[in-house]
């Protein structure tokens, strides 16, 4: 797509209004297989529409090394390799059971300490928990730790864990931070056990993002940008969790909203459009 095409679409205000109207009518997240850039841009990136993409595993070289087959035939994290390779790294860990304003409370620890915690949690899990009929049922007060916002690809240049999928090559914000500001980036790794979750939020600077599951699965709860005025109180704060007993005086119209829910499986990539609110389990 040429720059002129981008500019023409960007200045077409009638078309932009049509896209905003369509966002309010989305009731499910589509799945597409390995689209070319033109298809992705016209149908999802520019219309600002969420989608799950399959067939991108060849961009993620870490998948083979970071995962192993478990005794039940499933795919799980290769904890010994991760410990050997990244054990000395200091990572940010969210306490999913402790609220800090509108986020989880956070601490720092060595990744080796987190691996020990993770291994202990796995060993303590009862067999019937592994066969749970609903893997997304969770207790918000249960102690759960979650490695979040880890700049792994910035801090460990080798071996390369992934390359940018072609459809996400327009990563302007990451390019700016990488080249202009202290060699920083907006590329993050998340690792955690069952019951880890991220509170209700909109991505930084209302940017778009994408996320690939190397193993495990996630459930996403999406709300379009048009609901912004319904999920904020008078001070501008958003709802903390869509599963809380939301204060009707502070958020009188929140109960009228219905999330768009989808499950992201291992090996799948999800595109989160700019301004879309979401909560992830």
């Amino acid at each position: 797509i040429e720059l002129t095409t981008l500019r023409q679409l960007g200045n077409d205000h009638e078309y932009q209004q049509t896209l905003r109207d369509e966002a309010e009518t989305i009731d499910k997240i589509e799945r597409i297989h390995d689209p070319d850039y033109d298809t992705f841009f016209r149908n999802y990136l520019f219309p600002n529409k969420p989608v799950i993409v399959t067939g991108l595993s060849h961009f993620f070289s870490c998948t083979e090394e970071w995962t192993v087959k478990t005794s039940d035939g499933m795919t799980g994290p290769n904890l010994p390799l991760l410990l050997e390779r990244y054990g000395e790294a200091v990572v940010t860990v969210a306490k999913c059971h402790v609220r800090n304003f509108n986020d989880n409370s956070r601490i720092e620890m060595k990744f080796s300490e987190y691996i020990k915690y993770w291994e202990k949690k796995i060993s303590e899990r009862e067999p019937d928990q592994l066969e749970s009929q609903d893997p997304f049922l969770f207790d918000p007060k249960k102690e759960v730790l979650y490695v979040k916002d880890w700049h792994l690809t910035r801090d460990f240049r080798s071996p390369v864990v992934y390359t940018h999928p072609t459809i996400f090559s327009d990563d302007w914000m990451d390019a700016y931070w990488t080249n202009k500001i202290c060699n920083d980036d907006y590329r993050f790794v998340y690792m955690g056990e069952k019951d880890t979750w991220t509170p209700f939020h909109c991505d930084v600077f209302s940017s778009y993002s994408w996320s690939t599951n190397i193993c495990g699965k996630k459930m996403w709860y999406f709300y379009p940008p048009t609901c912004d005025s319904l999920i904020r109180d008078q001070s501008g704060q958003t709802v903390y969790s869509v599963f809380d007993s939301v204060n009707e005086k502070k958020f009188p119209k929140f109960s009228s909203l219905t999330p768009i829910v989808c499950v992201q499986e291992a090996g799948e990539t999800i595109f989160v459009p700019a301004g879309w609110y979401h909560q992830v389990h």
Side-chain angles (χ1 to χ4, degrees):
I1 298 177
E2 299 176 359
L3 264 176
T4 51
T5 306
L6 292 173
R7 191 178 300 114
Q8 288 165 358
L9 290 173
N11 289 335
D12 189 338
H13 299 295
E14 183 177 341
Y15 181 57
Q16 290 181 15
Q17 183 60 52
T18 299
L19 297 179
R20 286 192 289 268
D21 293 340
E22 288 179 351
E24 294 186 353
T25 66
I26 296 174
D27 59 4
K28 67 177 182 179
I29 308 300
E30 297 177 10
R31 271 183 168 78
I32 55 173
H33 182 77
D34 195 16
D36 59 31
Y37 180 86
D38 183 74
T39 299
F40 175 72
F41 176 85
R42 290 184 178 276
N43 295 334
Y44 302 99
L45 180 58
F46 191 78
N48 212 39
K49 182 179 178 182
V51 66
I52 291 176
V53 185
T54 62
L56 301 183
S57 58
H58 54 287
F59 290 102
F60 298 89
S61 55
C62 63
T63 301
E64 186 173 346
E65 286 191 316
W66 284 13
T67 61
V68 292
K69 290 292 184 182
T70 58
S71 58
D72 58 0
M74 304 295 285
T75 299
N78 187 344
L79 297 184
L81 180 136
L82 293 170
L83 175 62
E84 177 184 355
R85 187 166 292 173
Y86 308 114
E88 293 303 306
V90 176
V91 295
T92 299
V93 176
K95 294 183 175 182
C96 293
H97 55 294
V98 180
R99 178 174 178 174
N100 182 30
F101 295 98
N102 266 30
D103 197 4
N104 303 131
S105 177
R106 302 192 181 204
I107 58 175
E108 288 189 341
M109 65 170 63
K110 277 192 173 182
F111 187 57
S112 58
E113 296 176 37
Y114 185 80
I115 291 289
K116 290 179 182 178
Y117 157 84
W118 201 350
E119 290 176 329
K120 183 173 183 292
K121 284 289 188 178
I122 292 174
S123 67
E124 292 174 348
R125 198 175 301 166
E126 298 294 333
D128 61 334
Q129 290 179 301
L130 299 175
E131 302 296 330
S132 172
Q133 292 182 344
D134 188 347
F136 298 107
L137 286 176
F138 78 106
D139 178 0
K141 296 182 180 179
K142 176 184 175 182
E143 181 181 0
V144 181
L145 302 181
Y146 188 13
V147 173
K148 298 184 71 173
D149 300 337
W150 182 9
H151 293 266
L152 185 146
T153 59
R154 179 196 66 188
D155 299 337
F156 294 87
R157 302 288 184 174
S158 178
V160 175
V161 297
Y162 76 92
T163 56
H164 261 86
T166 306
I167 60 174
F168 302 126
S169 56
D170 289 329
D171 196 342
W172 304 306
M173 190 170 74
D174 190 65
Y176 175 81
W177 282 86
T178 301
N179 296 323
K180 301 293 185 181
I181 309 293
C182 302
N183 196 32
D184 207 346
D185 67 9
Y186 265 95
R187 305 177 187 180
F188 303 119
V189 170
Y190 296 73
M191 294 188 186
E193 59 160 323
K194 181 183 180 298
D195 294 333
T196 50
W197 68 289
T198 298
F200 187 77
H201 69 289
C202 178
D203 286 333
V204 60
F205 303 133
S206 294
S207 60
Y208 71 76
S209 65
W210 56 270
S211 176
T212 298
N213 269 1
I214 301 303
C215 63
K217 59 175 64 181
K218 291 182 177 180
M219 181 170 281
W220 294 73
Y221 300 83
F222 279 103
Y223 294 78
T226 50
C227 76
D228 185 84
S229 62
L230 307 181
I231 52 84
R232 294 184 181 276
D233 62 18
Q234 291 182 343
S235 64
Q237 294 296 310
T238 63
V239 170
Y240 172 64
S241 168
V242 299
F243 296 112
D244 277 352
S245 296
V246 177
N247 188 320
E248 292 186 3
K249 290 185 177 180
K250 294 179 68 175
F251 307 98
K253 296 184 179 180
F254 183 79
S255 60
S256 67
L257 300 174
T258 301
I260 306 167
V261 183
C262 67
V263 175
Q264 179 191 14
E265 302 286 351
E268 295 184 334
T269 299
I270 195 163
F271 169 64
V272 182
W276 278 71
Y277 293 89
H278 48 284
Q279 183 166 317
V280 191
H281 292 258

